[in-house]
Amino acid sequence: MYLVSTSAMNPVIYFTTLLLIPLLYLILSRGASKKLPPGSFGIPIIGHSLGFLRAMHTDTIEEWFQKRIRKYGPVSKLSLFGTPTVFLHGQAANKFVYTCDNNTLVPHQPPSFKMICGERNILELHGDEHKRVRGVLMSFLKPEVLRQYVGKMDEEIRKHLEIHWHGKHNIMVMPLMKTLTFNIMCSLLFGIEQGASRDALIELLRQIIDGSLSLPINFPFTRFRRGLQAREKFRTMIVDLIQERRTALNNQTAFPHQDLITCLLSIQNDDNPIVLSDEEIVNNVIVLMIAGHDTSSILITFLVRLLATDPTVYATIVQEQEEIIKGKASGELLTWDDLAKMKYTWRVALETLRIYPPVLGPFKKVLRDFEYEGYIIPKGWQIMLAAFMTHNDKHIFPDPSRFDPTRFEKQISIPPYSFVAFGGGPRICPGYEFARIETLTTIHYLVTRFTWKLSCTDSFTRNPVPFFKRGLPIEIQPK
């Protein structure tokens, strides 16, 4: 070993070393002070992905989360889909994630979802861009606009029941509810009536949904490749619709709130600074179709199952709905005021969402290091929020396994960010009112026109939303 005296050392190197020592000390001290959340990253590359997906598939995801909480607490680290991840749980975590600034956390969808649905959709955007797109979509989805579409939705539901329910003895609920919600969206979003165009769109949408939830492997015959191809065909059809509606508006043969597309194009015609490009309209239409196709159909399916197994809830809903019929002429369509009277029915729907939420919680990407509950969450990691678990917190919802619609009689008693079936904060679901109208109108006609019983016991899995393995078969009788 050779020792070099400071007198023999180059003066520049000497003074540079003196300056670097404190800086090096600060860096090392900062690293030493970092306290990552407890937990492990599991098997290299695979991490905890297989266990997570298995729990989703067997509907044991809550037990999987609870096991982590018992072992590590409400904050822990793991690895999912090749990314270091922090698992968060609890009301405080819900509030933090749903209200966190966009310099710290931003939405994080799977790569396949972004590539198929497009990067300019409401789920991907954040900050001012998110506000802009949300503001435009809310011009159609806000209550004061949707109230004028209740009659149109009523007609679509009656038509569906006439075709798929009347004269039948055995049906599968979930596939039919997906067909119904798709047809409602085609009618209200696009103004597309039944026929070849609808049939083509629903097949493309199924391929888009499958592809957006697959591994992004762009090889022939893969789900992802089929999803990309379906997206291009879907895009072409929507762009053609946009051009047709734009021409009709210019010729005054369509009116501004005829459907979603005419509404968005009318905003553009007003030289509004928050307009959407045609490509943004396409991207957001795809996302709205995916969201509406899954969430409302799942809720209605669970309600049908509930009403077949809980005679007390069934009798109370029937009474409420028959009271509404008494005040209407035969064949008269439902109105916004009729929906406002369905208070108990909607409380049952909310309690169903509490127990069976379609979405478990969001993923977020970490843009900068930040501290949470004494732990450092590093930049580049992702957050997995188990938002739905507050639905089963006995301190918030006493006896959480018991089905009790009275919990929602006075929603003010439920702490903020505890019931998050529709999300929370500035990103709360813009389609909340649309889903409420759709659900209440459908249940009204089901309970006033049919009785039913389950054909068999049917369990469900998550992929990633609930899906009944047999489609929930029932035996129906007309009233």
Side-chain angles (χ1 to χ4, degrees), residues 134 138 230 300 381 422 477:
R134 182 184 176 87
M138 286 303 295
I300 297 169
W381 288 28
F422 295 97
Q477 292 288 334

Side-chain angles (χ1 to χ4, degrees), residues 156-434:
E156 196 66 47
I157 291 169
R158 291 191 193 198
K159 193 184 303 179
H160 170 87
L161 295 177
E162 189 65 37
I163 295 171
H164 299 286
W165 289 63
H166 287 288
K168 307 293 193 301
H169 298 292
N170 298 278
I171 65 168
M172 290 192 296
V173 179
M174 177 159 269
L176 283 185
M177 288 303 102
K178 287 183 178 293
T179 298
L180 172 61
T181 55
F182 174 81
N183 286 338
I184 289 173
M185 286 187 295
C186 273
S187 178
L188 270 68
L189 301 188
F190 308 136
I192 301 176
E193 301 306 320
Q194 285 184 323
S197 293
R198 269 198 193 183
D199 295 341
L201 274 176
I202 193 167
E203 181 56 36
L204 292 175
L205 182 64
R206 289 192 183 111
Q207 293 179 27
I208 287 171
I209 292 173
D210 285 345
S212 67
L213 299 174
S214 66
L215 292 174
I217 301 174
N218 193 7
F219 291 155
F221 311 113
T222 62
R223 289 168 57 192
F224 182 68
R225 170 68 69 86
R226 288 195 296 270
L228 287 173
Q229 293 170 339
R231 187 232 194 274
E232 283 308 304
K233 294 177 182 177
F234 193 98
R235 179 189 177 280
T236 299
M237 295 179 73
I238 302 307
V239 169
D240 289 344
L241 274 174
I242 291 171
Q243 296 304 327
E244 288 177 17
R245 295 297 187 273
R246 183 176 281 123
T247 300
L249 284 168
N250 291 336
N251 296 335
Q252 297 184 339
T253 56
F255 55 90
H257 286 92
Q258 181 172 307
D259 52 48
L260 173 64
I261 291 179
T262 59
C263 181
L264 298 181
L265 293 177
S266 298
I267 292 175
Q268 289 179 324
N269 289 342
D270 290 339
D271 295 324
N272 194 302
I274 59 170
V275 298
L276 298 186
S277 67
D278 287 2
E279 195 62 33
E280 286 177 318
I281 292 176
V282 171
N283 290 353
N284 285 284
V285 160
I286 291 174
V287 168
L288 287 176
M289 292 292 285
I290 292 175
H293 186 253
D294 278 338
T295 52
S296 295
S297 61
I298 290 167
L299 170 57
I300 297 169
T301 301
F302 273 108
L303 285 171
V304 169
R305 187 180 74 158
L306 167 73
L307 296 178
T309 57
D310 193 323
T312 302
V313 171
Y314 173 79
T316 308
I317 284 184
V318 169
Q319 182 181 5
E320 181 175 77
Q321 298 301 332
E322 288 182 343
E323 282 296 319
I324 292 169
I325 291 178
K326 289 178 183 178
K328 302 185 74 65
S330 177
E332 186 180 353
L333 300 177
L334 291 172
T335 65
W336 183 267
D337 291 338
D338 293 328
L339 299 179
K341 297 174 184 176
M342 302 179 188
K343 291 181 172 60
Y344 180 78
T345 305
W346 186 237
R347 287 199 293 268
V348 170
L350 292 176
E351 178 70 346
T352 302
L353 286 170
R354 184 188 69 82
I355 296 178
Y356 305 109
V359 180
L360 301 180
F363 279 81
K364 298 282 187 175
K365 183 177 181 179
V366 181
L367 296 185
R368 63 179 179 86
D369 290 8
F370 69 93
E371 186 174 331
Y372 180 81
E373 295 293 322
Y375 300 110
I376 292 295
I377 313 299
K379 174 183 177 181
W381 288 28
Q382 68 180 356
I383 299 289
M384 177 177 66
L385 177 67
F388 80 103
M389 292 189 67
T390 53
H391 293 189
N392 295 316
D393 188 328
K394 64 183 179 181
H395 301 294
I396 300 171
F397 298 100
D399 193 7
S401 62
R402 179 170 57 90
F403 191 91
D404 181 12
T406 64
R407 302 180 199 273
F408 293 91
E409 284 181 357
K410 297 180 180 179
Q411 292 193 43
I412 194 170
S413 63
I414 300 174
Y417 300 98
S418 297
F419 177 71
V420 288
F422 295 97
R427 302 189 74 91
I428 195 167
C429 176
Y432 172 89
E433 281 296 335
F434 190 97

Side-chain angles (χ1 to χ4, degrees), residues 12-58:
V12 174
I13 296 176
Y14 174 69
F15 286 109
T16 301
T17 304
L18 288 178
L19 290 173
L20 286 176
I21 288 174
L23 180 60
L24 183 62
Y25 174 78
L26 287 173
I27 293 172
L28 293 175
S29 298
R30 183 175 180 270
S33 67
K34 277 191 176 183
K35 183 181 180 183
L36 295 176
S40 73
F41 290 126
I43 303 170
I45 302 176
I46 296 174
H48 300 82
S49 303
L50 295 180
F52 175 78
L53 293 173
R54 189 183 306 113
M56 293 277 280
H57 184 70
T58 57

Side-chain angles (χ1 to χ4, degrees), residues 414-477:
I414 300 174
Y417 300 98
S418 297
F419 177 71
V420 288
F422 295 97
R427 302 189 74 91
I428 195 167
C429 176
Y432 172 89
E433 281 296 335
F434 190 97
R436 187 180 73 90
I437 298 170
E438 197 172 35
T439 301
L440 291 176
T441 307
T442 303
I443 294 300
H444 170 81
Y445 284 110
L446 289 182
V447 301
T448 56
R449 294 190 175 189
F450 301 95
T451 59
W452 62 86
K453 63 180 180 179
L454 300 180
S455 299
C456 62
T457 301
D458 194 2
S459 59
F460 67 91
T461 182
R462 282 187 177 272
N463 188 32
V465 295
F467 180 81
F468 282 91
K469 295 177 180 178
R470 300 182 182 180
L472 194 68
I474 61 173
E475 298 175 22
I476 62 174
Q477 292 288 334

